Amino acid sequence: METRHTRPVSSVAVSPDGRTLATGSHDGTVELADLATGAVRAALTGHTGAVRALAFSPDGRRLASGGEEGTVRLWDTGSGKQRAVLTGHGDQVRAVAFSPDGQSLAGGGDEGPVRLWDAATGQLRTTVTGFAEPPRSVAFGPDGRTLLTGSDDGTVRLWHLALLGPRQAAARICSAVHRDFTAREWSTYVGGRRHGVCPL
């Protein structure tokens, strides 16, 4: 199967229904092709470096791509439009994975921590730290509450996650500090229309 990429292909993924092939290249593009015919139906642009990792959501409607420039990008596979740019990684992203329910997205890269985002809103949920060497691969367990990582040091680690929605996390935080969020804190950490979280 030939692609339109102008540089080496560095990542591939197949949609859950087996119909679409996604390819990422050192040229910074992602292509979506019909797996049966090989015809390229969309070229996704936005990354400024090599595309190191790809993952389809369980329903096949979204694609996550991890780039050399340290971003994770979310794409609509039907329209080919970019839906979100997730930042925070200090170096290239080498692994991405959706949770089984499609609600969470994990990304791991050269700078060490694995970041977990809300796949619908792009809000950062938590950061998994404690790696001796950078993680090169990530995968969710079937229950969505466990995460496996493979690292340069030859280890595979199993992490138990408590994946909270932003408002649940906000409630826990404000109960710990004994006050409500300021408008700025709400905008930064929760988003959406502000309302009281903590009881007065």
Side-chain angles (χ1 to χ4, degrees), residues 11 67 81 151 158 166 194 200:
S11 52
K81 292 182 179 179
S151 300
L158 176 65
R194 183 171 178 254
L200 299 178

Side-chain angles (χ1 to χ4, degrees), residues 64-145:
S65 58
E68 187 176 45
E69 79 283 3
T71 66
V72 174
R73 295 170 188 261
L74 285 173
W75 310 88
D76 183 301
T77 58
S79 66
K81 292 182 179 179
Q82 183 173 275
R83 293 302 185 192
V85 180
L86 310 179
T87 60
H89 285 284
D91 208 332
Q92 56 188 324
V93 178
R94 293 185 178 268
V96 289
F98 280 93
S99 61
D101 62 7
Q103 294 183 12
S104 299
L105 177 67
D110 282 358
E111 97 286 8
V114 170
R115 285 172 170 76
L116 297 175
W117 290 278
D118 183 304
T121 66
Q123 291 282 335
L124 182 66
R125 285 182 163 173
T126 191
T127 301
V128 179
T129 60
F131 297 94
E133 295 290 340
R136 299 299 191 191
S137 55
V138 294
F140 282 90
D143 62 0
R145 296 191 173 274

